[in-house]
Amino acid sequence: MAAGNGETVSLRTEVAALRLRVLELERENQRLAQIASSCSCVSKDNFPSTLVADASLYGCDQEVQNNGKSHESRTSGHDCNVNGEGLDGLSKIQSKRANRAGHQVGVVSHCQKRLVALKIMYFGQRFYGFASEAHTEPTVESEIFKVLERARLLVGSRKESCYSRCGRTDKGVSATGQVISLYLRSNLKDPGGNVLDERSEIDYVKVLNRMLPRDIRVIGWCPVAADFLARFSCLGREYKYLFWKGGLDVPKMQKAASKFIGEHDFRNFCKMDAANVSNYRRHITDFDISAYDERSNNDELWAMNIKGSAFLWHQVRCMVAVLFLIGQGLESPCVVDSLLDITRTPRKPQYTMAPELPLILRSCKFDKVSFMSSSGLKGVRCQCRP
């Protein structure tokens, strides 16, 4: 009899302990639900209470109710931080649910978005070019998209973002004015409107530069029209090629460079890409060779500034290579005339391209595009001189 009473007391104790545990779990769930409702872009009313903690911390604008009062919740592309509470647990829950559902981590799909252009500067020495290619890492483009996903600025997939790049620089080539365009998450209630409220919009420059490697910087952004594409909306591109004068005959090089100005067939000044290019005519608007006002070891730094509407693959480096041959006295300036005349020279002769490191994509020209900077550029120094 005594043994039976002991077992009854033990069972009652266990039941009481379980009830306390259930109450603790309910309180924890309520706390997580409150945190999620403060930073989720999905309305709490659309989910059962047990799944509220599952809402991802995308940081999109949403009006939520708190003690009967409506307020807006905004972020600048980072994980929400509500007094630092419950973030680790929520992140784990979010990750597990997302993996089970097959969602792409770092990509949001229910937020407002706007088409923006980003102006980018990078030092290309360690990169395998700008564009992402299979089995060639790192590239500038791949680093940028990694950060866009980490900052949760992408809305939908990369394909859905209408991504476009202005220039496709080669391995080792740098830029001070590369431009890309794509749809990014926006804080504006009416992203398609004409009024730009800079105070409420995400500071894209600051958010991205916090996460990008030091040899890539976003130096400006601008909202653009829905039909804008960085590649096809570009009116002109400018390249700069730096070189030490040494014993080069610069006047002869300048005479030859002037022959490039105008519209010509540049198939003898590029790397042939017959699979993708059928028209080799390009228009060069300016080709200037001038001193750069810098000396070292009794030598003088010079620069070639080349402007044109568009360029072929390796076109700038091929033109520079021929000018170097002229400057060294190995060719005369009239060789440019011969190479531009495809009837006289139907096939490109063999010659070595100029090195890639001194080449810089200086700027890209657009109509009615004015890039804005921010505090995200304070203390940033360009590693490739413009």
Side-chain angles (χ1 to χ4, degrees):
M1 191 69 177
N5 291 334
E7 291 178 0
T8 301
V9 172
S10 177
L11 288 173
R12 288 177 178 174
T13 302
E14 292 181 5
V15 169
L18 289 173
R19 286 177 177 172
L20 288 174
R21 181 56 178 160
V22 169
L23 291 174
E24 291 176 358
L25 292 174
E26 288 178 350
R27 285 196 296 267
E28 179 67 11
N29 185 63
Q30 291 175 358
R31 186 176 70 85
L32 294 176
Q34 184 178 5
I35 294 172
S37 67
S38 299
C39 57
S40 171
C41 65
V42 183
S43 175
K44 175 181 176 182
D45 296 335
N46 295 335
F47 291 88
S49 60
T50 55
L51 295 181
V52 171
D54 236 1
S56 56
L57 306 182
Y58 290 155
C60 300
D61 291 345
Q62 175 198 2
E63 293 186 359
V64 295
Q65 298 296 326
N66 184 13
N67 297 327
K69 297 181 180 180
S70 176
H71 68 280
E72 292 183 356
S73 174
R74 301 181 185 270
T75 69
S76 59
H78 292 81
D79 290 343
C80 298
N81 186 1
V82 187
N83 297 327
E85 296 179 356
L87 291 183
D88 292 339
L90 280 174
S91 298
K92 292 178 181 178
I93 295 172
Q94 175 192 349
S95 177
K96 291 179 181 178
R97 298 274 181 174
N99 291 337
R100 285 202 297 269
H103 296 305
Q104 185 176 354
V105 176
V107 176
V108 297
S109 58
H110 301 292
C111 299
Q112 300 208 53
K113 60 183 180 180
R114 76 186 312 177
L115 187 62
V116 303
L118 300 177
K119 189 175 182 180
I120 301 170
M121 173 179 69
Y122 52 88
F123 184 52
Q125 185 171 16
R126 75 178 181 93
F127 297 106
Y128 289 89
F130 182 83
S132 298
E133 300 288 351
H135 310 300
T136 54
E137 292 289 340
T139 64
V140 178
E141 196 172 74
S142 65
E143 293 294 320
I144 291 173
F145 269 92
K146 287 177 186 176
V147 170
L148 287 172
E149 291 183 3
R150 284 179 56 198
R152 294 171 183 168
L153 290 177
L154 282 181
V155 180
S157 65
R158 172 170 169 171
K159 184 177 181 180
E160 293 170 332
S161 71
C162 297
Y163 172 74
S164 176
R165 68 178 83 88
C166 184
R168 186 188 179 100
T169 56
D170 301 323
K171 175 183 178 182
V173 177
S174 302
T176 58
Q178 173 72 280
V179 175
I180 64 174
S181 62
L182 74 169
Y183 276 97
L184 294 180
R185 178 165 59 83
S186 173
N187 274 349
L188 298 187
K189 289 299 181 183
D190 183 16
N194 295 322
V195 179
L196 175 62
D197 186 355
E198 298 179 35
R199 293 171 299 178
S200 62
E201 185 55 289
I202 296 171
D203 189 342
Y204 299 110
V205 174
K206 185 175 183 179
V207 170
L208 293 173
N209 284 338
R210 281 178 175 174
M211 301 182 182
L212 283 167
R214 293 181 62 84
D215 46 6
I216 304 176
R217 295 289 92 177
V218 177
I219 57 178
W221 76 278
C222 179
V224 290
D227 60 350
F228 183 91
L229 290 171
R231 179 183 177 186
F232 298 107
S233 299
C234 183
L235 303 177
R237 299 159 175 85
E238 178 183 357
Y239 283 90
K240 182 186 293 288
Y241 195 95
L242 302 174
F243 67 96
W244 294 103
K245 180 182 178 182
L248 294 173
D249 190 337
V250 173
K252 280 189 176 181
M253 293 172 62
Q254 291 171 326
K255 180 180 179 181
S258 65
K259 299 177 182 294
F260 288 121
I261 298 176
E263 184 175 326
H264 304 283
D265 189 314
F266 284 94
R267 68 182 64 201
N268 290 325
F269 291 93
C270 70
K271 187 171 183 178
M272 299 298 289
D273 186 15
N276 299 308
V277 179
S278 58
N279 180 15
Y280 293 91
R281 298 192 69 83
R282 295 294 185 270
H283 187 201
I284 301 298
T285 57
D286 187 52
F287 202 129
D288 174 69
I289 304 177
S290 56
Y292 210 60
D293 194 26
E294 185 168 323
R295 304 185 67 89
S296 178
N297 297 326
N298 297 321
D299 205 348
E300 189 175 14
L301 186 66
W302 282 63
M304 302 185 196
N305 296 284
I306 309 105
K307 297 179 181 179
S309 56
F311 293 86
L312 297 165
W313 191 13
H314 291 164
Q315 180 182 340
V316 174
R317 291 170 62 192
C318 286
M319 291 191 296
V320 171
V322 172
L323 291 179
F324 281 159
L325 293 175
I326 295 170
Q328 294 167 9
L330 301 177
E331 296 286 352
S332 65
C334 64
V335 72
V336 174
D337 297 313
S338 177
L339 292 173
L340 289 175
D341 187 347
I342 61 173
T343 58
R344 293 168 56 188
T345 313
R347 293 186 179 182
K348 177 186 174 184
Q350 295 294 321
Y351 58 87
T352 303
M353 287 192 302
E356 68 277 7
L357 288 181
L359 180 59
I360 302 168
L361 175 57
R362 180 69 178 85
S363 64
C364 301
K365 182 181 178 182
F366 298 91
D367 185 30
K368 297 180 181 179
V369 175
S370 180
F371 290 98
M372 299 172 288
S373 183
S374 74
S375 59
L377 281 177
K378 289 182 178 179
V380 175
R381 297 181 63 185
C382 176
Q383 297 188 56
C384 48
R385 182 174 175 178

